[in-house]
Structure formats: C-alpha cells, structure tokens
C-alpha cells in the first residue's frame, strides 16, 4: 500500500495533464529511427543496385550481337604463282572492306551466370546487414536518450512537489514571524532553499531539452517537453533469445564463401557457345573474288580448361581457411557477448535489491519529514532542522526514481545486447 502511495506521489502530476499530453514510447522512437535515419535509405539503394546487377547478369543468357566494320589496305595479297596462255587469273584488290554482324549465344556455362547472380545478391545482403548493424548501434543511443529524458522528468516532478510544499510552508510561518513566535532566519532559510530549487529545475529543464533534441535528430520526430515519455512495459521473464545482427552477418559471409567455392569448381567445367557471322564486303569468303559480296557462317565452339596447375584446389583451400576465420570470429563474439550479458544481469539483480531497500527508506523518511513538518510549524525546531529532514526525504524519493528507471533501462539494455530491439 505504501509503495502505491509513493508511486502516486511520483506520477501524480502526469495524471493531471494526461488529457493534453501525447504519450511517447521507446518502441515509437526505435521504429522512427529505423524508418527516418539516413542509414535506412542505404538499404533501399543497395536493393535497387542489386536489382540492376541482376538484370545485367541476366543478359548473359541472351544472344550477343556485335557490329564490326573494317577498311584496310595491305602491301600484298594472295595470288596463284602460275600463268596460263590466253587465261586471265583474277587477283584480289589490296584495299579491303568489311561490314559484319557477329552473333554469339551461350549454350552451356556450367552454372556460372546463375552463381554470379547469387554472388551479387550475397554481396547486397552483406551490405544491408552491415547497415542493420550500424542502425542497431544508433538504437543504443536512442534508448539512452529516451531513459535520460524519463529520469530527468521524474526528478523535475519531485523537485516541483518539494518547491510547492516549501512555498506553502513559507506562507504558514509568516504569521508566526510577524508575532515573533518564529525567528526570521527560518524564513530566510526557506527562501534560500527555494532559490536552490529554482536552480535545480533550470538545470533539469536544460537536460530534458538536450535529451529530447538528441531524440529528434535520431528519430526525425518533433518531440517536445509537452510529450509524456513512458517506461516500456516489463516482459517477464526477459527475452533471452540471441538475435544480434552481427550473427546474421557472420552467416552471410560464410554463405558467400560457399558460393565462391562453387564458382571455383565451375571454372573447371567446359563452356559451349554457338556463334554466327553475317556480313558484306570485299573480299568475302571467296578470297579469289574481287567483288563486293554478302557472306555468312554459323557454328559452335567448346572451351575447356583441362589443366590449371592445381590453382583450383588452392583457391578452395584458401576459401576454407577464410571460412574458419569467420567461424572463430563468431565464436569470439558469442563469448564476449556472454561475458557482457553476465555483467548486465548482475546489474539488474543489484537494482532490484536496491528498489526493495529504497521503498523502505522512502517510507521511513516520509514519516520523519511529516513529523518535523509539524514541529517546525509549531516552532519546536528551526528551518535548518526541517530542511535537513525534508531534503533527506527528497533524496530518498529521487534515489527510488533513479533506481526504477535504471532497472528498466538495464532490462531493456539486456535485451538490446541480445539483439531483441530490432523493430
């Protein structure tokens, strides 16, 4: 029951303005960051570039047409080394003219073009995953700014409550001062404390403004101090599934190496091409004719690299070594992550314990402050004594707020470390 009362004191001012305030959640900020941060556009550009690359590679399956033209003059031409009486043997001119179209069509390439398409997609996926990793790092800054905003706002609410109470207390003792029942220095002490409170409020407002400004830059939203930033609901138990984007990158890198191994094997397979040529020129295919004539020819050709000095095996072995390096990097990353998660879980347990003690301290300090408040109004103690206990109560409440926000932040950070903030 006491805990409910304390929480009501902390969030009471929020309820008063709930009708006009716009609630902002961490999930909203993370989603806005994923959509509006400049890095997000890179994924669209990478996908568009990959689509174009796929179309370029696809043209390798289509017939290839090349137009060739040639004009030349040579010092000698082929001729028959014989002479016959009364027979004129034709001789090719030394100036040659040719215009032809070469056509080639891939018949079989062992799957090289399809593997190239897969490699292009693999490169694009790796680039997109790298962008996801960078975006995920930005989300850590977003959550830190978000929780800082909540903490500073909660501190400001508590300080405002203290300010209101001290102002009321100052009004109550004014008659006692006029009647000489209470010393003037008690009023001066309260005024000095109110000035210090004004300084604290100003400092908190600057901090809130700075944190919200950071959120606006990161999310692209138009947030202000009029918004109400709400703590994310706690998931029980915590999500412990590891979905870090770095793990996806490791898997994509291994997948690319497997495709490169496939491409290495394809290099040893034969390539069969169909070809044709059609043209017009002098001389044509008949080298003894000196007339401009059309010509054509069609056929097929085979290309097969039978021996490569063991380069194929060496390339595969090199790719296997690179795959092992990636596996070791992934294993190292997971171990470092386990160490970090253990540390963060320890912090969560520490804060949970602190909150139990904080609640007890707040209850006790509230009792004491209530008692000294009555004593102060009756002139039994000085303003210094009253402020000492009142500030102790405020400090206890601020610690309670601090640990509340820190605990939820620690829980969110634990899930962030596991990669579970990927909206």
């Amino acid at each position: 029951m006491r805990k409910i009362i304390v929480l009501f004191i902390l969030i009471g001012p929020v309820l008063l303005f709930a009708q006009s305030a716009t609630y902002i959640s961490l999930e909203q900020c993370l989603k806005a960051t994923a959509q509006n941060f400049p890095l997000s556009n890179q994924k669209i550009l990478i996908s568009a570039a990959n689509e174009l690359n796929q179309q370029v590679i696809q043209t390798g399956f289509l017939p290839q047409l090349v137009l060739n033209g040639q004009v030349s003059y040579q010092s000698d031409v082929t001729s028959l080394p014989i002479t016959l009486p009364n027979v004129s043997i034709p001789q090719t001119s030394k100036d040659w003219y040719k215009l032809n179209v070469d056509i080639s069509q891939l018949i079989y390439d062992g799957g090289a073009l399809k593997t190239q398409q897969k490699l292009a997609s693999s490169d694009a996926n790796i680039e997109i995953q790298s962008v996801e990793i960078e975006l995920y790092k930005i989300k850590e800054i977003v959550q830190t700014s978000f929780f800082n905003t909540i903490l500073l706002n909660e501190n400001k609410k508590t300080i405002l409550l203290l300010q209101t109470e001290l102002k009321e207390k100052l009004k109550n003792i004014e008659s006692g001062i006029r009647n000489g029942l209470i010393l003037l220095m008690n009023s001066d002490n309260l005024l000095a404390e109110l000035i210090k409170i004004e300084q604290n409020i100003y400092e908190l407002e600057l901090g809130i403004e700075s944190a919200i400004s950071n959120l606006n830059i990161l999310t692209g939203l138009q947030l202000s101090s009029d918004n109400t930033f709400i703590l994310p609901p706690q998931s029980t138990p915590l999500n412990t599934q590891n979905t870090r984007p770095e793990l996806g990158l490791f898997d994509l890198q291994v997948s690319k190496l497997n495709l490169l191994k496939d491409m290495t094997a394809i290099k040893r397979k034969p390539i069969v091409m169909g070809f044709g040529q059609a043209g017009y020129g002098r001389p044509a295919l008949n080298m003894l004719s000196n007339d401009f004539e059309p010509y054509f020819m069609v056929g097929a050709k085979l290309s097969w690299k039978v021996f490569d000095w063991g380069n194929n095996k060496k390339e595969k072995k090199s790719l296997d070594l690179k795959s092992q390096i990636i596996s070791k990097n992934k294993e190292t990353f997971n171990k470092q992550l386990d160490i970090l998660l253990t540390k963060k879980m320890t912090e969560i347990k520490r804060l949970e314990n602190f909150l139990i003690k904080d609640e007890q301290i707040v209850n006790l300090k509230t009792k004491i402050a209530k008692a000294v408040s009555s004593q102060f109004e009756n002139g039994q103690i000085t303003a210094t004594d009253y402020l000492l206990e009142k500030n102790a109560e405020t400090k206890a409440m601020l610690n309670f707020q601090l640990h509340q926000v820190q605990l939820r932040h620690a829980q969110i950070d634990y899930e962030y470390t596991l990669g579970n903030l990927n909206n």
Side-chain angles (χ1 to χ4, degrees), residues 163-182:
Q163 183 187 51
T164 300
E165 183 171 341
L166 292 184
K167 285 181 178 179
E168 290 296 324
K169 194 68 64 178
L170 185 61
K171 290 179 181 179
N172 292 339
I173 66 171
E174 283 178 350
S175 61
I177 293 174
R178 286 193 296 268
N179 297 327
L181 300 176
I182 300 177

Side-chain angles (χ1 to χ4, degrees), residues 70-74 77 91-100 279-295:
Q70 179 180 327
V71 177
S72 64
Y73 181 86
Q74 55 198 59
V77 293
Q91 186 177 8
T92 306
S93 298
K94 293 181 179 180
D95 54 327
W96 288 16
Y97 305 88
K98 285 189 176 183
L99 181 65
N100 59 270
Y280 184 80
R282 187 188 72 185
L285 297 180
N286 182 3
M287 298 297 295
L288 296 179
S289 173
N290 202 35
D291 297 327
F292 282 91
E293 296 175 337
Y295 61 91

Side-chain angles (χ1 to χ4, degrees), residues 244-257:
R244 286 288 297 206
E246 290 87 350
L247 298 180
L249 180 61
F250 289 135
D251 293 339
L252 288 172
Q253 289 172 339
V254 171
S255 178
K256 179 183 177 180
L257 289 177

Side-chain angles (χ1 to χ4, degrees), residues 257-317:
L257 289 177
N258 291 332
L259 287 173
L260 289 173
K261 287 174 67 176
D262 293 341
M263 183 61 78
T264 301
I266 289 171
K267 291 179 182 178
R268 297 298 306 276
K269 294 182 178 181
I271 299 176
V272 181
M273 299 283 295
F275 69 90
Q277 186 182 73
Y280 184 80
R282 187 188 72 185
L285 297 180
N286 182 3
M287 298 297 295
L288 296 179
S289 173
N290 202 35
D291 297 327
F292 282 91
E293 296 175 337
Y295 61 91
F296 77 91
M297 61 178 169
V298 294
K301 61 181 179 180
L302 171 70
S303 175
W304 193 353
K305 192 174 185 180
V306 180
F307 186 69
D308 68 349
W309 305 97
N311 288 335
N312 194 277
K313 291 182 179 179
K314 292 174 184 176
E315 287 180 12
K316 285 185 177 180
K317 186 175 181 180

